[in-house]
Amino acid sequence: MSSGQLQWKTQLGDTIVASPTVSRDGSVVYVGSTDTFVHALNGETGRELWKASTGWAAPAAFNDTSNAVWSSPVLSQDESRLFFTAYTGQLYSVETRTGAQLWNFSAALPIHGGPALAVLSPPTCDETPWLTCRTGCPPGGAC
């Protein structure tokens, strides 16, 4: 990696619009795509290890029915879980070894960014994902 030379490249289902998330040891690269999947790639070869789908059909109330992954996924502190969002208002948690979905949450509003994690005190508490959602208020307008 220190040479600055291309190590590998891979073809995914569609466009990548956010930065990838890399495991601490560099063995896995997680990247969201507009193909509605988060892909886990081998950090040495670029080979796909698994992919997790947003698998959610947006209700008619959403103007943009894209359930694409527009933001960077976030790893839990112990790297056992990956959190990612879809614009349609879903937050997902998947197991990093297999990509199996652990849970999902509907914010009922479009999500314009990736989740952020907060490790609350005492340190034995689970990490809590935080979201920012579109409220429908106009810029500078009163809500």
Side-chain angles (χ1 to χ4, degrees):
M1 262 327 219
S2 62
S3 69
Q5 297 296 311
L6 177 66
Q7 299 296 305
W8 52 263
K9 64 181 181 177
T10 191
Q11 182 69 39
L12 298 177
D14 208 342
T15 306
I16 298 168
V17 294
S19 301
T21 298
V22 181
S23 63
R24 266 187 227 102
D25 65 4
S27 64
V28 184
V29 176
Y30 304 95
V31 62
S33 174
T34 58
D35 68 355
T36 74
F37 290 95
V38 165
H39 302 265
L41 309 173
N42 180 296
E44 291 185 23
T45 67
R47 183 180 61 83
E48 186 171 81
L49 302 171
W50 53 258
K51 63 183 180 179
S53 174
T54 58
W56 186 74
F62 285 98
N63 291 331
D64 179 356
T65 59
S66 170
N67 54 350
V69 180
W70 292 92
S71 60
S72 300
V74 176
L75 278 167
S76 63
Q77 191 170 7
D78 66 3
E79 297 192 351
S80 66
R81 294 166 292 157
L82 187 74
F83 302 97
F84 63 96
T85 60
Y87 177 77
T88 49
Q90 297 291 111
L91 168 67
Y92 299 89
S93 175
V94 298
E95 199 274 327
T96 55
R97 239 179 356 92
T98 64
Q101 188 175 116
L102 298 170
W103 53 262
N104 72 58
F105 168 78
S106 177
L109 293 167
I111 298 174
H112 289 267
L117 289 184
V119 180
L120 305 175
S121 293
T124 57
C125 293
D126 286 340
E127 291 132 328
T128 302
W130 295 81
L131 299 172
T132 57
C133 298
R134 180 176 171 192
T135 63
C137 297
C143 293

